[in-house]
Amino acid sequence: MPDCSVVVISYNDAARLPRAVRSVLRQTLRDLEVIISDDASTDGTPEVAARLMAEDPRVRYLRRQSNSGGCGAPRNDGIDAARAPYAMFLDSDDELPRHACKSLLTEIERTGADFVSGQISRLFERDGRLRPYYPSLFARRRVVEGIRAEPELFLDSFSTNKLYNVAWLRDNVLRFPEDIYYEDHVFATELYALARRFAIVPWVVYHWHRASSNESISLSIDEMDNVRQRVIAARLSDDILRGYGAHDLVPHRQYRFLRQDLRVYLNPLPARDLVWVKEFASVVRPYLEEIPGAVFDRIEPMDRVCCRLILDDRIEDLRVAAGSLTGPRAAPRAAVQVDGRTYWGTTAAPGLDITALRLAELPYTDSRLRHEVTGLATNGERVRMTVRTYDPFGVLPAEWDAFLEAGRERVPIQPVPSDDGGYVSEVVFAPCGRSDPRIGFRRRSDGHVTTDRLIVDPNLEPIELPGCTVKAEGYAAYLCVRTHSRTRSALRRARRLLLSKLNTPRAKLCAYKLLIRVVPRRDDLALFESDVGKGYNGSPRAIYEEVRRRGLPIEAVWSVAKGRKNFPADVRLVRRGSWRYLWTMARAGIWVDSHGFPLDYPKPPGTRYLQTWHGQGIKSIGFDAPDLRGDFDRPREQWRAAVARWDALVSPSAEFSRVFLPSNGYDGKVYRCGTPRCDALVRAEAAGDVRARLEIPPGRKVLLYAPTYRDRDRTSGRSVRADLDLMAAELAGEWVVVLRTHPVEKYDPPERLRHFVRPAASYPEINDLMLASDALLTDYSSVMCDYALTGRPMVFLIDDWDDYRLSERGVYHDLPAIAPGPCVTTTAELVDVLRNLPEVHAAFAAKYAAFRALWCADEHGDASARIVDDFFEGRTR
């Protein structure tokens, strides 16, 4: 008896069947069987199955005499034929990851669950990209004591991402319906109704292939019968729950229909003709009329608007509203504001309430206009458009300048007021290069600009122009310009191939090592770099500006990462990693940076390297940090050699020296005179007007939220652990959050929060943000040590403290014991602290003073001057 039976259903899919079967045969669980359940294919499936059986005795083949017309019957055949105690289902156009069977088998045996469900990921065949399906459902490993414990799991109605106890399926006579599409929705509903306990695992157990063609049932959404079948499956699922006495679960299953099933058809609705949309509405309307109003209240505002328009038979409005569901989410043509509420369209009806989107409260640069292209023509080189602009929230000021932005081209336009309160523009431009054209309005009073893309007819025929195509793109149908791929000559291809071979990291390193042996050093040339080229900031900036202020005879060059801006116009730049960068590194007699020049690059003989570092605090660093903590020779030796290049190190405090020097193996010269970047904080010198630039309303207090990254979840956005929705609901009238995520993090606050949250990850200088703020919210970030110089309140959100100190990064200090402000673990606690901040801050006065003495005793506002005196002036006199 095998440990697991994998049922692979197939119909006329001979080409892809071997890929699916072999993904099972390659499983790390070897003791399994593959049951090919063929629904009477008329192609070469029998021959392919015969070859697969000849290749591996674990493959069996079942064939129905006539086609069943769905997926239920072949899956039931597989259940009947399974010889193993556990079974999985696989479609012939999909695959199993290599450890799927073993990991699920281990979990079901460990937990004794009726079934185990794992993450399913969509695999887009066009580019190989994997995208998990509702990852929040599978965020943690757990055993669920029945569906009532977590009814949101109705969103996981797949049959293929689960391992089942076969005896339990047979004992409960649990089978797939055989006469409908979306049989897995019905099967999953009964599965949840029957299961007393089931397990969830957070890893991917199924690769759902998404091809560009609409061959599968789930992708054939342009057929009206597909819509009818999905409604039938929804009704059957509701009836099953009622039949098991689970009437209380029906609204949760209906929520799944509104949130997931209905959206499948609403997304492409803007491209449908009115006849199709009207028939679609007539098919789904009777089922929507059965759903309680409380269920509609749970879905997103624009989904709710679409449902209301379906119920009201407003077909043209429905097609317009559906265009706001995907992509850039177009603004409405009109909106009504009554008693503090905002409604879609021209009437204040409850089902049209979109207040939660906060579109009427956005700062000007994020405000939303709607630009519809009503006429489009070309003379073969230039495009002429008529554009209608709608200002549904009345954001445009009395004085503005308008323009069309297409790539690097900006064309002034003259919108003319129209009778409906909007504007009409005649726009002429010559497309050149890839772009997503936008119309922008610049507010003359302060120079702030708001832009939005152009909406076009989804069925617009592409316009071919020299070198590019102008066309509609996406469900919401936005105008775009796409360049043609160029046919390269053999000579150009050979040149490109040669450059690609020469432009490798290995080739550059070899060339650099040769350069430092033959190129003469320039003692008056200095290479500055901050945060591996990401900005003109930090201590390197402070030292550079002191050198310039004194007019020292030093030629300075700044390293800049690809695509980075915010460097002064008069600063000489060199792109990090380029050949010119290597040339500059090889010749420069002075290196100054805050993180580290490329690790494997030796310092040229005679070059002096000033390492300013970029922070101090409680987190483990150097050989104590996770990436170097393991005893792996290569990375540890690499870092040891990199540190050996330093000729001088800036140490902000005695505590920094105590921890940093031994943990990095550094024993060279140390400057103990404060931190150059903190000079501006000590002197309270801000370089710009943060409040004006970030559009912070007068009278609002500013909370600087600066969390650090998590080593295991870099770029995931999970460092933003505060519930910003809750904070907005409780504090938006009094506070604005300025969100400064770590440079390695990727997080963009959703549009509904932009009235309350100002993203500032790319703001050029964090000192300015600190000086403009009224309080700091952080976790374990080194920003706490710099912020102590302001004397302003600090709050620490440390809900993952035990995990962070024991298994994540590791720390040198017990933060709750030394923190100069309250440590909270929930957003509700944070809100309470902010409401009583003066009293709370006063209560921490003694701990604040001790914290400042530990980290900031050497900060006197003259670190840059003292370091330049010694490191630069001492060599240039």
Side-chain angles (χ1 to χ4, degrees), residues 645-763:
R645 300 177 300 179
W646 303 349
D647 293 286
L649 170 70
V650 175
S651 172
S653 65
E655 182 62 19
F656 177 87
S657 294
R658 182 186 72 83
V659 170
F660 187 91
L661 271 58
S663 65
N664 287 274
Y666 179 73
D667 57 4
K669 183 173 183 176
V670 175
Y671 286 118
R672 276 282 310 282
C673 53
T675 317
R677 72 170 181 276
C678 290
D679 289 348
L681 290 176
V682 175
R683 298 193 293 263
E685 294 176 351
D689 188 346
V690 171
R691 297 186 71 96
R693 184 165 175 175
L694 296 182
E695 300 176 87
I696 297 172
R700 301 283 176 86
K701 290 182 284 190
V702 174
L703 178 66
L704 175 59
Y705 182 17
T708 192
Y709 66 92
R710 302 306 189 264
D711 288 85
R712 293 198 298 259
D713 289 314
R714 296 189 187 203
T715 76
S716 68
R718 293 177 185 168
S719 67
V720 182
R721 306 182 70 83
D723 184 342
L724 296 176
D725 284 291
L726 175 59
M727 292 180 67
E730 298 290 335
L731 303 170
E734 183 180 0
W735 289 86
V736 167
V737 169
V738 173
L739 179 59
R740 175 74 169 203
T741 51
H742 192 278
V744 305
E745 186 62 282
K746 290 182 180 178
Y747 177 81
D748 192 31
E751 189 175 56
R752 68 178 184 275
L753 289 172
R754 294 295 179 92
H755 71 293
F756 175 67
V757 179
R758 301 293 189 270
S762 60
Y763 199 92

Side-chain angles (χ1 to χ4, degrees), residues 72-83:
R75 286 194 179 127
N76 288 334
D77 292 345
I79 294 174
D80 295 338
R83 295 185 299 203

Side-chain angles (χ1 to χ4, degrees), residues 22-212:
R22 287 175 181 137
S23 78
V24 182
L25 299 177
R26 287 194 300 266
Q27 291 289 300
T28 49
L29 178 68
R30 303 298 299 168
D31 192 9
L32 50 72
E33 67 172 353
V34 181
I35 301 173
I36 300 174
S37 187
D38 179 10
D39 199 9
S41 296
T42 57
D43 65 353
T45 294
E47 292 77 15
V48 170
R51 288 198 298 271
L52 291 168
M53 285 191 292
E55 292 173 7
D56 196 308
R58 294 177 294 171
V59 180
R60 298 165 56 199
Y61 179 56
L62 307 177
R63 177 176 172 82
R64 296 185 66 81
Q65 294 302 309
S66 59
N67 180 257
S68 67
C71 300
R75 286 194 179 127
N76 288 334
D77 292 345
I79 294 174
D80 295 338
R83 295 185 299 203
Y86 303 104
M88 285 189 73
F89 300 104
L90 172 64
D91 293 345
S92 60
D93 54 344
D94 297 331
E95 293 179 272
L96 295 183
R98 193 162 181 262
H99 303 293
C101 293
K102 178 180 281 189
S103 64
L104 290 176
L105 178 64
T106 300
E107 193 71 1
I108 201 168
E109 290 182 338
R110 184 184 72 85
T111 61
D114 298 326
F115 66 90
V116 181
S117 183
Q119 178 72 69
I120 189 168
S121 273
R122 292 166 288 184
L123 194 160
F124 293 88
E125 295 184 349
R126 181 180 59 185
D127 54 13
R129 181 168 42 97
L130 275 172
R131 180 174 294 175
Y133 178 91
Y134 286 113
S136 60
L137 299 179
F138 304 93
R140 57 189 178 86
R141 185 177 182 180
R142 62 199 187 276
V143 173
V144 182
E145 302 295 336
I147 188 64
R148 280 188 177 84
E150 295 188 36
E152 64 272 16
L153 285 168
F154 277 121
L155 287 168
D156 174 22
S157 289
F158 291 96
S159 61
T160 50
N161 63 330
K162 299 173 176 63
L163 180 75
Y164 306 88
N165 182 320
V166 174
W168 182 82
L169 290 180
R170 291 171 177 166
D171 290 346
N172 285 281
V173 198
L174 184 52
R175 300 177 70 78
F176 289 89
E178 300 187 1
D179 54 352
I180 62 167
Y181 295 165
Y182 302 107
E183 74 296 324
D184 49 347
H185 293 192
V186 181
F187 175 84
T189 300
E190 189 166 12
L191 178 76
Y192 285 129
L194 287 167
R196 294 295 170 259
R197 65 196 313 263
F198 54 92
I200 304 292
V201 296
W203 52 83
V204 176
V205 300
Y206 196 87
H207 285 166
W208 177 19
H209 278 254
R210 303 301 300 269
S212 56

Side-chain angles (χ1 to χ4, degrees), residues 208-398:
W208 177 19
H209 278 254
R210 303 301 300 269
S212 56
S213 59
N214 290 348
E215 297 174 359
S216 68
I217 290 172
S218 61
L219 294 179
S220 302
I221 57 175
D222 55 344
E223 300 171 7
M224 196 56 62
D225 190 53
N226 189 287
V227 183
R228 294 189 181 94
Q229 289 287 324
R230 201 180 291 254
V231 173
I232 289 171
R235 278 209 170 94
L236 284 174
S237 298
D238 295 350
D239 290 343
I240 284 173
L241 291 174
R242 295 184 184 105
Y244 281 100
H247 295 75
D248 58 309
L249 291 175
V250 173
H252 295 287
R253 181 58 182 73
Q254 292 171 333
Y255 170 72
R256 182 237 143 79
F257 179 85
L258 297 180
R259 180 175 174 181
Q260 175 61 34
D261 299 336
L262 189 63
R263 274 295 295 269
V264 169
Y265 305 102
L266 291 177
N267 288 341
L269 212 59
R272 309 291 192 194
D273 62 60
L274 285 176
V275 174
W276 196 99
V277 178
K278 190 169 186 65
E279 185 176 2
F280 162 75
S282 69
V283 170
V284 300
R285 186 181 301 115
Y287 183 62
L288 296 186
E289 290 172 341
E290 300 172 12
I291 297 177
V295 181
F296 290 103
D297 292 341
R298 294 179 58 193
I299 61 177
E300 292 294 315
M302 284 309 304
D303 295 71
R304 188 164 57 247
V305 167
C306 289
C307 289
R308 184 69 262 165
L309 296 175
I310 291 172
L311 290 169
D312 292 345
D313 198 26
R314 294 169 58 181
I315 304 306
E316 177 57 42
D317 287 342
L318 172 62
R319 193 164 61 169
V320 172
S324 298
L325 295 173
T326 63
R329 300 179 183 269
R333 288 174 175 168
V336 177
Q337 297 180 57
V338 178
D339 297 330
R341 310 296 298 177
T342 305
Y343 299 88
W344 190 94
T346 57
T347 55
L352 305 178
D353 191 326
I354 58 171
T355 307
L357 297 178
R358 303 295 179 181
L359 293 174
E361 304 167 48
L362 296 174
Y364 182 74
T365 52
D366 288 320
S367 60
R368 303 302 310 279
L369 304 176
R370 183 184 181 95
H371 310 294
E372 295 183 6
V373 177
T374 58
L376 186 64
T378 178
N379 62 3
E381 294 183 357
R382 304 176 71 82
V383 172
R384 178 180 293 275
M385 300 184 297
T386 300
V387 181
R388 293 183 63 86
T389 294
Y390 299 87
D391 181 12
F393 307 107
V395 300
L396 288 180

Side-chain angles (χ1 to χ4, degrees), residues 486-722:
R486 298 171 181 169
T487 303
R488 296 185 175 90
S489 66
L491 181 61
R492 292 181 64 189
R493 287 197 299 270
R495 179 174 176 270
R496 191 177 184 86
L497 178 62
L498 177 62
L499 287 176
S500 68
K501 290 184 178 297
L502 291 175
N503 212 31
T504 63
R506 181 182 179 85
K508 286 184 174 180
L509 180 58
C510 290
Y512 172 79
K513 289 180 177 179
L514 176 62
L515 282 174
I516 63 175
R517 296 173 61 183
V518 300
V519 173
R521 187 184 71 253
R522 281 185 52 189
D523 290 335
D524 64 341
L525 177 63
L527 178 60
F528 285 81
E529 183 172 288
S530 182
D531 194 12
V532 292
K534 294 178 182 176
Y536 173 74
N537 51 30
S539 290
R541 172 185 174 177
I543 291 171
Y544 165 78
E545 291 181 349
E546 179 66 16
V547 168
R548 286 193 60 180
R549 187 187 66 79
R550 298 187 185 193
L552 297 183
I554 292 174
E555 182 182 348
V557 178
W558 270 86
S559 161
V560 56
K562 184 178 181 180
R564 296 290 172 159
K565 300 178 181 178
N566 294 319
F567 284 79
D570 60 345
V571 169
R572 182 180 165 196
L573 303 177
V574 59
R575 189 163 69 81
R576 194 177 199 269
S578 67
W579 287 103
R580 187 173 294 277
Y581 176 77
L582 304 188
W583 173 257
T584 307
M585 283 185 68
R587 299 189 70 203
I590 300 172
W591 288 1
V592 181
D593 96 309
S594 62
H595 286 67
F597 287 107
L599 296 182
D600 289 326
Y601 283 63
K603 186 180 61 173
T607 293
R608 295 179 300 121
Y609 186 171
L610 173 60
Q611 173 57 255
T612 69
W613 207 241
H614 50 275
Q616 59 174 335
I618 69 168
K619 300 187 295 185
S620 65
I621 50 178
F623 296 115
D624 298 333
D627 50 348
L628 294 177
R629 191 180 298 152
D631 191 17
F632 301 111
D633 290 342
R634 173 60 182 158
R636 290 172 70 88
E637 286 303 314
Q638 185 185 43
W639 182 242
R640 189 172 286 111
V643 170
R645 300 177 300 179
W646 303 349
D647 293 286
L649 170 70
V650 175
S651 172
S653 65
E655 182 62 19
F656 177 87
S657 294
R658 182 186 72 83
V659 170
F660 187 91
L661 271 58
S663 65
N664 287 274
Y666 179 73
D667 57 4
K669 183 173 183 176
V670 175
Y671 286 118
R672 276 282 310 282
C673 53
T675 317
R677 72 170 181 276
C678 290
D679 289 348
L681 290 176
V682 175
R683 298 193 293 263
E685 294 176 351
D689 188 346
V690 171
R691 297 186 71 96
R693 184 165 175 175
L694 296 182
E695 300 176 87
I696 297 172
R700 301 283 176 86
K701 290 182 284 190
V702 174
L703 178 66
L704 175 59
Y705 182 17
T708 192
Y709 66 92
R710 302 306 189 264
D711 288 85
R712 293 198 298 259
D713 289 314
R714 296 189 187 203
T715 76
S716 68
R718 293 177 185 168
S719 67
V720 182
R721 306 182 70 83

